[in-house]
Amino acid sequence: GFANKTKMNLFTAINSAMQTALETDPSTVIFGEDVGFGGVFRCSTGLRDQFGSDRVFNTPLSETGIAGFAIGYAAQGGTSVAEIQFADYIFPALDQLVNEMSKFRYRSGNQWNCGGVTVRTPVGAVGHGGHYHSQSPEAYLAHTPGLVVVMPRGPRAAKGLLLSSIRSKDPVIFMEPKALYRASVEDVPDDDYMIPLGKAEILRSGSDVTVVGWGGQLRILQKACDMAQSEHGISCELIDLRTILPWDVDCVVDSTEKTGKLVVSHEAPITCGFGAEVVATVQERSFLSLEAPIQRVCGYDTPFPLVFEKYYIPDELKNLEAIKKVVDYAQ
C-alpha cells in the first residue's frame, strides 16, 4: 500500500497523473482546445502555470490538427498527451487515428513509431448532454488494430491507468467518463504508480453470474449486483475490463466458466457495441459451460436522446432484470 493518499475526484486524479508525467518526463507536452486554461472539465488546471506554456498549451479548434500534431511530436521521440474536448468530436480526427497513428509502426516495419501518443477524451452520458455531448464511441476505436483503448471507472484507476497509457510505447485512446469527473471520490495515492494495461479487475467475487462492464457503467453495475444479492440472494462476480483493446479475454472466460452465466452492459448502442465482441468470444471459448443465453444490457439503437436520457440509459433495474433472467433460465 501507499503511505500518502489524498481524497480526489476523477478530474483531480487525472490532473495528478498529468502533473506526475510532466515532472518525470521532460519531453511530455499536454495540449488541446482550452487545455492551457485548465480545460472545460478543469483536468489541466494549474499545469500551464507550473510547467510553462511551451509544455501545456491551447490548440486551434481542429481535432485533425490536434491528432496530427500529437503523432508528429511522438514520431520525433516526444511524449504527447492530447485532449479531444468531447469524444463526440473525435470523428474529424479519425483519419489521423485510424490511418496514421495506429499503423505508424507497422507500415515502417518497426523502423519508426508514434507510441508516445495518448489522446484523452471525455465520454458518456452526463444528464443533459444530448446528441453531441453524450456519446461513447469506444467500439469504433476498438475496431482498429494498433490502438490501445482504455476507460477507467474512477479516480484511483484513472491515475494509474493514465500514467501507464502515457508511458506505454503504443498509442492509447484514454476515455474518461465525464459524469464521474466530480461525482466519484476515492483515496488516491499521491505517489507515482501504474496499473497494467490489458488487465481486467474482479471487483467482487461471486458464484452465480458474471457481470462485465467498463467506465462509468461500473457504478450502475455495482448497484445492480447489490440489489441482486440483497433482494434475490444472487451472488454476482463483477468485472471491470479497464482496457477495451486489448481486452482481458482470460479473466472473463474463466469467470463465466465458473458461474455459467454472463451479463455484459455498456452505455453505447447495442448493435456492434463492444459487448458484442465479448459475447461472441465467450460463446466461442465457453459454449459448453454456459447455462443460459448471454445477456447484453446496452443503450438503444437511436441517437443519444436529450429528454429521454433516463429511458435510454441501461440502468441498475434493467441490469437486475438481466441478472435475474439468466439465473431463472438456468434453474
Side-chain angles (χ1 to χ4, degrees), residues 2 4 6 8 11-30 43-48 50-51 55-56 79 81 120 155-156 158-167 188-195:
F2 295 97
N4 297 320
T6 303
M8 296 186 196
F11 89 87
T12 46
I14 302 274
N15 183 279
S16 175
M18 291 196 288
Q19 182 177 344
T20 300
L22 287 160
E23 286 169 348
T24 55
D25 175 0
S27 81
T28 299
V29 294
I30 294 176
C43 290
S44 52
T45 297
L47 296 180
R48 183 169 67 176
Q50 189 175 351
F51 296 98
R55 298 186 66 197
V56 182
T79 301
V81 183
R120 295 177 40 249
R156 191 182 323 192
K159 182 176 176 181
L161 288 167
L162 183 53
L163 281 167
S164 289
S165 298
I166 291 169
R167 291 164 177 166
V188 177
D190 298 328
D191 299 19
D192 181 342
Y193 67 98
M194 291 160 65
I195 293 172

Side-chain angles (χ1 to χ4, degrees), residues 249-321:
V249 176
D250 289 342
C251 178
V252 176
V253 164
D254 290 348
S255 175
T256 305
E257 289 182 352
K258 178 178 81 171
T259 64
K261 297 171 275 310
L262 176 62
V263 174
V264 185
S265 184
H266 57 68
E267 215 176 83
I270 189 166
T271 298
C272 295
F274 195 71
E277 178 64 31
V278 176
V279 171
T281 302
V282 170
Q283 72 80 27
E284 190 174 58
R285 291 268 298 264
S286 309
F287 183 73
L288 294 176
S289 299
L290 290 171
E291 299 168 14
I294 302 172
Q295 299 297 302
R296 286 182 291 160
V297 187
C298 307
Y300 298 127
D301 289 333
T302 68
F304 198 101
L306 177 59
V307 294
F308 298 122
E309 178 173 314
K310 65 177 181 290
Y311 304 113
Y312 175 91
I313 292 297
D315 64 10
E316 57 268 30
L317 294 174
K318 292 179 187 174
N319 277 285
L320 177 63
E321 287 306 310

